[in-house]
Amino acid sequence: MILIFNKLTKFFEDSILSYLKLNNKSEEFDKVRENILVASTKEEFGDFQSNVSLILSKICKKNPKVIASEILKLIRANDDITNMVEDLEIAGPGFINIKLKKNIFINELILNYKSERLNVPKIEKEKKIIIDFSSPNIAKEMHVGHLRSTIIGDSLAKIFEFRGFKVLRINHVGDWGTQFGMLISHLKDVYPDALKSTENINLGDLVEFYKSSKKRFDNDINFQEKARQEVINLQQGNAESISAWKLLCNQSRKEFNNIYNILNIKIEERGESFYNKYLKNIVQELESKNIIVEDQKAKCVFLEGMKNKEGKPLPLIIQKKDGGFNYATTDLAALKYRFNKAPNGDGAYRIIYVTDQGQSNHFSAVFQVAEKAQWIPKNCQVTHVPFGLVQGVDGKKLKTREGETIRLKDLLNESIKRAENDLKLRLEKENRKENKDFIENTSKIIGISAVKYADLSQNRITNYQFSFDKMLALNGNTAPYLLYTVVRIAGIKRKNNFKEDEINLDKILFNEIQEWRLIKKLLKFDEIIISAENELMPNRICNYLYEICQIFNRFYDQLSILKAEKNIKQSRLLLCYITEKTLKLSLNILGIETLERM
Ligand code: ARG
C-alpha cells in the first residue's frame, strides 16, 4: 500500500501546509511533516489515521478538535483527496480517521496482480552489500548456531536481492589459526600416507579427528611442541604443511557443502586465510595512526566501554606477543578489503554480519577500531545481526538423547524422516496412493522448510526451542500450514483448469468482509518487505504469511468460489491468484520451496 499511502500523504501535506499558511506558521511545517498519516491500527478507525491536529494544537495554540474540523474543511475542498476518500471523521481528542474508496484498493490490487514482483519498488541505483554468514570452522562441527546463521543470512540475502541490491554472500570460514598445528601433526602421525597419495584420502569423521588431536595436544608435551612447530611451518608456506592444510579444508568443505545442498543455499567461500597477506599492513596502519598501544608486549587497542569483569579496561589484542594475529585482526583486514574498491577489494557499501549474540562485543570492538582507522568510508555501513540460542524443549542446550551435540546432517535428516512418516499416515487416512518420488520430494520439502521456517519465524534476538513436533504440525504458524494453503490454491486452479487470463479485470467486485480483509492484507506486501529489510527481521515476513493464510482460509471456508455467480467467481479467483503469488514470493524470499500437492 506504499503507493496509496504516499499519494494520500502528499495530498494531506498540501492541505496542512495551506492551513499553516492561513495561521502564519508555515515555517513550522517540518515539525508536522513526519507524522501526517499512519495506517489505522483497528478496522473501525478506517484505513488511515492522522493525529496532526494534536501536533498543530501546540503550534497554533488551539484546541485539537477545533483544528481537526478546520483542517477537514480544507481537505474536503481538495479534489485530489475527495477523489480518494469515502469517509472522513474526527474521533477522540481530535484524530482524523480516513476511509478510502474501494476502487482505490481494487486498482492497486490489479496493478500488483500484473506485476512480477507485486509492485515492490526496486532501489534506484544498484549497490553492493556483503552478507557474511554461516561461516563454520574447518575440522570442527558445524553446529546449530551456524545453522541459524545460514538460514537467517540466506533470507536476508534474498530480501536484499529482491530489492535490487547486488549481494555478495560470503562464507568467512575459520580456515586459519593455531589449531592447524595440532591437526596437521596429528594427520601426519595417523595417516602418514595422506600427503603422498594424489587422491584425497578420507579422514573419516573430522569431528572425531579434531577431538583426538585436541586430546593429544592437551596431554602430551612433545606433541604440543610438534604442533607449535607445524604452525610456524604452515605460516612460512612449507609445501607439505600447506597440502596437509588443504586436505583438511577440502574434507570439511565437502561436509559443509552437503549441508548447503540439502538446504539449497548458495554461498561463496572466502575463509580467514584469504586475508593473511593483509594482516601485517593492518597492524602497521593502526600503529601509524596511533591507535595501537603495547601492553605486556602485545599490540592492543583500548576502547571506550570495553571492560573486563573487574571493571578494568579490556584491550582488543591485534597482535599477540608471539607475533600471531587474532580473529579480530582478520576481521579488520576483511572489513577493509570489503569496502576497498576493486581490484584490491569488493567495493561494498554495506557489510552485514550474521552471528550469535555472543559475538556482539567482538563486532562492536572491530567496528570501533575500523571507525578510528577511517576504514568505513563515508555513506558506508557495518551492521552486526545477532541471534539467540537454539535450545531443546527443556530450555537447555540442544543435545541428542545420549547427551551428545547434534550433527546438523542428522538433524535435517530426522526432520525429513518425520515429515515422511506424517505424510504416509496422512496418505493412508485419505486413502491416497502416491509414488515413491512424490513421497520423497514432498517429505524433503516439508522437512527442510519446517526447520527453516521455525527458525525464521522467531524474533531472531530471542532464544528459541527446537521442537520437531511443533515445527512439523499442519496447524499453527508452521511451514506445513503455509505450504498447505499454497496447495489449496493450486487445487482450486486445477479444478478451474487454470483459466487465469479469462478474468475480466473491469468487472471485479467485492462485497464481503472476508474478501476485504484479505485484500487489505495482500496490499501490505510491499510495506512488510521493506520493514523486514530495514529492521533485518525476516520474522516480519513470517508473521505476515501466517496472517494471510489465516485470512485466506477463512475466506475459502466461508465463501463459495467456483460455484459463485460469474463475476463474483472471477473476482474471488483473482483473490486466490494474488494470494498464491504473494505466498510464493514471500516463501521464496525465506528460502522455502513450495508444492502443488502434498
Ligand atoms: N567462524 C566464526 C564462528 O564459527 C564465525 C565467523 C563470523 N564472521 C566473521 N567475519 N567474524 O563463530
Side-chain angles (χ1 to χ4, degrees), residues 286 291-293 300-308 311-318 328 332 360-373:
L286 290 175
I291 297 171
I292 276 182
V293 272
C300 306
V301 183
F302 286 89
L303 295 163
E304 235 166 87
M306 259 186 63
K307 296 207 167 79
N308 67 11
K312 292 203 179 112
L314 183 73
L316 182 74
I317 301 178
I318 305 288
L332 285 167
S360 297
N361 286 341
H362 162 77
F363 283 109
S364 138
V366 167
F367 297 167
Q368 280 186 64
V369 176
E371 193 81 60
K372 278 183 197 255

Side-chain angles (χ1 to χ4, degrees), residues 346-523:
D346 296 311
Y349 105 98
R350 183 175 189 187
I351 315 173
I352 292 175
Y353 302 81
V354 189
T355 78
D356 64 285
Q357 253 173 50
Q359 301 201 30
S360 297
N361 286 341
H362 162 77
F363 283 109
S364 138
V366 167
F367 297 167
Q368 280 186 64
V369 176
E371 193 81 60
K372 278 183 197 255
Q374 295 177 319
W375 288 332
I376 306 174
K378 223 177 137 216
N379 299 325
C380 290
Q381 205 181 349
V382 283
T383 318
H384 178 220
V385 174
F387 53 78
L389 302 173
V390 186
Q391 300 167 320
V393 255
D394 52 3
K396 295 197 189 122
K397 207 173 158 197
L398 191 64
K399 289 223 160 91
T400 62
R401 259 188 227 120
E402 293 74 34
E404 301 269 325
T405 353
I406 295 191
R407 306 255 155 120
L408 283 194
K409 212 166 138 201
D410 297 344
L411 179 132
L412 296 174
N413 283 334
E414 176 161 358
S415 186
I416 296 174
K417 187 85 213 129
R418 286 183 184 231
E420 185 178 327
N421 291 343
D422 290 355
L423 174 63
K424 283 182 175 158
L425 277 176
R426 198 151 45 79
L427 291 179
E428 213 176 279
K429 248 213 245 128
E430 293 171 9
N431 232 332
R432 277 164 62 192
K433 281 253 166 333
E434 297 288 356
N435 64 26
K436 217 175 118 230
D437 280 356
F438 174 88
I439 295 181
E440 212 168 88
N441 181 49
T442 311
S443 322
K444 185 171 172 213
I445 292 187
I446 297 179
I448 296 302
S449 30
V451 173
K452 285 191 182 181
Y453 189 79
D455 194 324
L456 292 169
S457 55
Q458 304 295 319
N459 177 332
R460 61 175 161 75
I461 312 283
T462 53
N463 298 341
Y464 93 94
Q465 296 191 350
F466 190 97
S467 153
F468 282 123
D469 289 335
K470 263 197 203 141
M471 66 179 73
L472 284 163
L474 211 45
N475 279 314
N477 190 6
T478 65
Y481 174 69
L482 305 185
L483 292 180
Y484 179 69
T485 310
V486 176
V487 163
R488 250 184 156 176
I489 301 177
I492 303 171
K493 279 168 108 175
R494 276 195 300 274
K495 271 195 209 142
N496 190 46
N497 278 331
F498 193 39
K499 292 187 201 123
E500 199 164 336
D501 11 311
E502 272 181 19
I503 292 183
N504 183 347
L505 292 174
D506 299 326
K507 292 220 169 126
I508 295 304
L509 76 164
F510 297 112
N511 290 314
E512 304 296 335
I513 182 81
Q514 292 92 331
E515 296 167 328
W516 277 101
R517 286 194 178 135
L518 184 56
I519 294 168
K520 298 262 172 78
K521 206 33 110 186
L522 289 170
L523 289 177

Side-chain angles (χ1 to χ4, degrees), residues 41-246:
T41 43
K42 287 199 179 130
E43 234 169 58
E44 62 264 33
F45 298 155
D47 301 306
F48 296 100
Q49 271 188 302
S50 175
N51 63 356
V52 74
S53 328
L54 293 119
I55 308 173
L56 286 174
S57 108
K58 286 183 201 120
I59 296 170
C60 304
K61 311 254 169 345
K62 275 196 215 171
N63 180 319
K65 269 193 175 164
V66 174
I67 295 186
S69 64
E70 287 170 356
I71 290 179
L72 273 199
K73 265 188 212 132
L74 287 173
I75 285 173
R76 289 206 168 99
N78 180 332
D79 285 345
D80 289 325
I81 298 184
T82 44
N83 283 338
M84 288 179 82
V85 160
E86 181 172 298
D87 196 20
L88 287 164
E89 86 185 358
I90 301 174
F95 297 121
I96 300 173
N97 292 346
I98 304 137
K99 196 166 158 44
L100 297 188
K101 288 184 177 157
K102 284 182 171 177
N103 71 321
I104 300 283
F105 296 112
I106 296 181
N107 291 345
E108 173 128 332
L109 194 72
I110 290 173
L111 274 182
N112 287 356
Y113 171 64
K114 289 179 180 164
S115 143
E116 265 309 290
R117 44 189 293 110
L118 291 168
N119 260 329
V120 175
K122 267 197 165 181
I123 54 160
E124 277 152 30
K125 218 179 115 226
E126 195 185 77
K127 291 179 175 177
K128 191 190 263 180
I129 294 194
I130 288 181
I131 306 192
D132 173 322
F133 69 102
S134 194
S135 309
N137 302 315
I138 297 292
K140 284 202 206 164
E141 185 106 49
M142 183 170 176
H143 53 69
V144 277
H146 296 121
L147 179 69
R148 278 209 96 173
S149 171
T150 309
I151 294 173
I152 296 172
D154 176 58
S155 163
L156 292 177
K158 289 201 145 108
I159 295 173
F160 283 105
E161 282 154 0
F162 181 63
R163 290 274 288 127
F165 290 88
K166 169 131 191 53
V167 179
L168 213 59
R169 302 151 160 258
I170 296 273
N171 203 357
H172 190 78
V173 172
D175 64 355
W176 201 254
T178 46
Q179 77 272 26
F180 281 96
M182 69 176 197
L183 290 168
I184 295 174
S185 304
H186 188 56
L187 177 72
K188 286 182 173 172
D189 290 345
V190 193
Y191 295 99
D193 297 333
L195 297 177
K196 293 188 198 113
S197 85
T198 42
E199 276 168 54
N200 264 347
I201 76 154
N202 188 355
L203 305 179
D205 190 331
L206 263 193
V207 175
E208 284 309 319
F209 183 89
Y210 187 94
K211 278 189 197 154
S212 36
S213 73
K214 178 90 172 69
K215 209 162 153 194
R216 283 180 75 189
F217 187 83
D218 290 342
N219 298 314
D220 178 349
I221 305 182
N222 288 334
F223 184 74
Q224 270 176 28
E225 203 29 61
K226 272 204 315 199
R228 282 207 187 95
Q229 185 53 44
E230 205 51 76
V231 177
I232 299 173
N233 294 348
L234 182 67
Q235 281 170 350
Q236 290 173 344
N238 172 291
E240 204 184 40
S241 310
I242 295 277
S243 40
W245 169 72
K246 279 193 180 149

